[in-house]
Amino acid sequence: MRRVACCLTALAAVVTLAACSPTPPAGRGTQNKPSAQRADYLVFYATGRHQEAVEAVEQAGGTTVGEDGRLGYLLAKGGGNTFVENLGTDPAIVGVSPDRAIGFATARRTGSASFPGASALSGDTTGEPLAGRQWDMRMIGADRANAKVPGSKQVLVGIIDTGVDGKHPDIAPNFDRRLSRNFVTDKPKDENGETLDGPCEAKDCKDPVDEDDDGHGTHVASTIASPINHIGVAGVAPGVRLVNIRAGQDSGFFFLKPTLDALTYAADIGVDVANMSYFVDPWLFNCKNNKSDNTKQQLEQQAIITGVQRAIDYARGKGVTLLSALGNGSTDLGRPTVDDKSPGYPEGEQKVRRVDNSCINVPAESTGVISVSALGPSGRKAIYSDYGVEQTDVSAPGGDVLDGKGAKATRSILGAAPERVLRAAGRIDASGKPKGADVVRDCTRTPCSYYQYLDGTSMAAPHATGVAAILVSRFGKPGAGGLALDPATVEDLLYKSAVQKPCPEPRQYVYKAYGQTDTHVCEGDRSRNGFYGHGMVDAWKAATFEP
């Protein structure tokens, strides 16, 4: 079962996709490791008030079963709403979240055979066999940058997502299986008995670290670093190493604790750049004190905001540059008004509530994260992409099937796809032949490899992540485990190497599709605006400019 959320304009469907305890190398941040025992709640406490929090849990009738001192939270078992509400009155407690699914990824399937023009390619076909289909790489100069600065094997890029198909022929050469981890246990059904992930593929419901039962994470990894190996496509930084740090369920939801574990693990193993193409949910907008929410819901949102921010701060402090998809809601994130998608888990609990700019989308609006809007092949902001002058840091190709006359799959982003996922979805037949224009097979070498067109800010973020990896490859200094470059420096270089793009004229840009119109207003100037941020990332400039 897929969880589906619609764009607020109803102009484009948004299919939300997903995304073992860590074993850090000796001497790396192993103190206060969380207990493996199942907890009911994550209880975040104020700085310096650990013992008071432990006592508060006991006084509320609960039991502490584990903790993570790095991020300042306890794992507790307790008795439902009364337990949470009693905890919330204690001044030592700053947030309480159920230990359950709270997120979804941000990609859109391009659809089926109804899309025409799979062979309508532009540009030359030099390079990898499917390079002619990669308009996105030409747009940011990655096709030229590949030859000059493909990226260093000393640069480690973390894919915090639904997993990565490490056996895919166009992933395997750059995949680091030893460092990869899966922080997710598949969950066949949700609390209401509805199908969630479906039957477990592994005996213990923990998939191997080189599998992806969704395809989302594999596509992201491919855009960042598919190698130059005369197979399929090439990524933005085809020479760097990829590590799977799985935090997303097969069904597309994310749990809070796996998200926190993924970020801290990335920090502890020396990841240089990490891609987060998902949203922390069940609240599309997290508000600390929304009058429409009860005490338990307010505490949960406070926990999400606090917990993820602490994990981000921890990762940045260890040298991890973090990039995030901005979102596919066609929304000005600086002026949200209504949230009718939350809480999004379990299904059927959504309500309509008024929101404002004090409510944030996590992690896209968390401090210290580089957030990326999506562009179509014409260079315009994609119709589905969220935007905002405060929220958009950079822009990158994300695809837009509606950017032009009619709808064409080839306007989306082509990336590696797990064969068994395509078979399970009915996108290839028994002989392996694709059933529609959204899937491409490359049999240049055997076995054949498969690729899929997707669009979304999920596809934009990995382009920026790849450029960040090029910058670390060029300017990083030798450190523990490879090259290292301070995240603030990476951010500065990313902005300086971006191609500035002004707002359209008029600023009230009107999108037209299927007989409907929708107007998005671009604010800001050429150097920083709500559609493009500091500009469109540029791999060629990143590979050649001198700051």
Side-chain angles (χ1 to χ4, degrees):
M1 182 179 73
R2 291 284 182 234
R3 179 168 179 256
V4 179
C6 295
C7 290
L8 299 183
T9 60
L11 287 176
V14 177
V15 180
T16 56
L17 315 170
C20 80
S21 297
T23 308
R28 298 268 194 148
T30 57
Q31 297 179 350
N32 293 324
K33 221 170 115 173
S35 166
Q37 184 175 347
R38 178 69 182 179
D40 295 326
Y41 298 98
L42 279 69
V43 181
F44 292 87
Y45 51 85
T47 302
R49 308 190 76 169
H50 167 269
Q51 187 56 40
E52 293 173 64
V54 173
E55 294 170 358
V57 168
E58 294 175 354
Q59 291 170 4
T63 304
T64 298
V65 298
E67 63 182 56
D68 191 329
R70 296 169 299 182
L71 305 186
Y73 69 84
L74 306 176
L75 294 167
K77 297 187 74 66
N81 291 352
T82 300
F83 170 73
V84 173
E85 290 171 2
N86 288 340
L87 270 180
T89 63
D90 194 291
I93 307 303
V94 297
V96 184
S97 172
D99 187 10
R100 60 170 171 76
I102 63 161
F104 60 92
T106 52
R108 302 159 7 108
R109 300 287 184 193
T110 58
S112 64
S114 62
F115 285 101
S119 61
L121 309 178
S122 61
D124 62 47
T125 56
T126 58
E128 299 295 86
L130 301 179
R133 298 173 180 262
Q134 292 188 280
W135 60 266
D136 52 318
M137 297 300 171
R138 293 189 292 277
M139 177 180 280
I140 65 171
D143 54 337
R144 292 181 291 154
N146 286 171
K148 189 171 183 64
V149 184
S152 169
K153 280 290 186 289
Q154 295 186 76
V155 174
L156 189 63
V157 178
I159 311 299
I160 304 178
D161 215 288
T162 64
V164 177
D165 180 5
K167 300 186 185 73
H168 191 288
D170 228 2
I171 296 288
N174 289 338
F175 186 73
D176 192 322
R177 192 182 192 284
R178 181 183 66 86
L179 288 177
S180 293
R181 294 290 185 274
N182 174 14
F183 292 101
V184 170
T185 299
D186 289 346
K187 190 173 181 181
K189 296 182 181 296
D190 67 14
E191 287 84 345
N192 297 328
E194 297 293 330
T195 298
L196 187 66
D197 294 328
C200 294
E201 294 84 6
K203 185 177 181 180
D204 60 355
C205 290
K206 272 192 172 294
D207 295 330
V209 297
D210 57 0
E211 290 188 3
D212 176 11
D213 292 325
D214 180 276
H216 185 273
T218 299
H219 196 285
V220 165
S222 176
T223 295
I224 296 169
S226 271
I228 297 174
N229 57 353
H230 308 295
I231 297 173
V233 300
V236 177
V240 302
R241 281 185 297 152
L242 296 167
V243 58
N244 170 31
I245 310 177
R246 183 179 169 187
Q249 304 292 133
D250 289 347
S251 53
F253 291 92
F254 284 69
F255 285 81
L256 175 57
K257 189 170 181 301
T259 294
L260 301 180
D261 288 344
L263 284 165
T264 52
Y265 178 73
D268 288 341
I269 65 170
V271 163
D272 294 293
V273 187
N275 190 92
M276 302 183 292
S277 285
Y278 64 90
F279 285 116
V280 176
D281 198 56
W283 304 93
L284 180 61
F285 290 97
N286 291 272
C287 314
K288 290 186 175 181
N289 296 291
N290 193 302
K291 294 180 180 180
S292 300
D293 304 328
N294 60 37
T295 300
K296 182 179 179 181
Q297 292 171 335
Q298 290 177 353
L299 285 167
E300 178 180 36
Q301 292 167 77
Q302 291 168 17
I304 292 168
I305 294 169
T306 300
V308 174
Q309 188 61 61
R310 288 179 178 178
I312 288 167
D313 292 344
Y314 181 81
R316 280 179 60 89
K318 293 271 191 169
V320 186
T321 297
L322 298 162
L323 295 98
S324 172
L326 193 59
N328 297 344
S330 298
T331 302
D332 182 346
L333 295 179
R335 290 183 173 82
T337 55
V338 176
D339 178 6
D340 59 1
K341 306 293 189 301
S342 305
Y345 180 92
E347 282 289 346
E349 295 192 2
Q350 295 90 342
K351 61 181 180 179
V352 178
R353 60 182 187 149
R354 303 291 299 181
V355 295
D356 57 32
N357 200 28
S358 68
C359 304
I360 67 170
N361 191 300
V362 177
E365 293 187 80
S366 298
T367 302
V369 175
I370 300 169
S371 296
V372 188
S373 67
L375 308 179
S378 73
R380 76 174 189 181
K381 183 188 77 67
I383 189 172
Y384 56 79
S385 180
D386 287 342
Y387 57 103
V389 70
E390 298 173 349
Q391 293 78 17
T392 307
D393 293 313
V394 290
S395 56
D400 187 348
V401 298
L402 300 175
D403 188 7
K405 186 177 181 180
K408 291 184 178 181
T410 51
R411 296 183 187 133
S412 295
I413 307 299
L414 188 67
E419 179 178 349
R420 67 194 187 102
V421 171
L422 296 176
R423 286 191 183 279
R427 300 308 310 133
I428 55 179
D429 63 21
S431 69
K433 182 179 179 181
K435 290 185 177 181
D438 58 310
V439 176
V440 179
R441 178 174 61 171
D442 176 28
C443 294
T444 303
R445 295 187 181 181
T446 56
C448 296
S449 53
Y450 289 87
Y451 304 82
Q452 187 169 31
Y453 283 105
L454 297 178
D455 59 8
T457 53
S458 274
M459 284 59 255
H463 287 84
T465 298
V467 175
I470 289 175
L471 291 167
V472 177
S473 297
R474 283 195 66 198
F475 300 106
K477 304 298 182 183
L483 297 176
L485 190 60
D486 183 75
T489 301
V490 178
E491 182 176 346
D492 180 61
L493 293 173
L494 186 68
Y495 297 163
K496 285 180 177 177
S497 62
V499 177
Q500 293 182 355
K501 292 174 67 69
C503 286
E505 290 294 341
R507 289 173 177 263
Q508 294 77 20
Y509 189 84
V510 180
Y511 294 89
K512 299 178 181 180
Y514 303 126
Q516 300 183 60
T517 62
D518 190 45
T519 301
H520 296 179
V521 180
C522 181
E523 296 179 288
D525 55 27
R526 175 183 284 270
S527 63
R528 176 72 187 270
N529 61 67
F531 278 17
Y532 307 109
H534 292 275
M536 180 183 71
V537 297
D538 192 302
W540 176 246
K541 282 187 66 178
T544 58
F545 89 121
E546 294 299 331

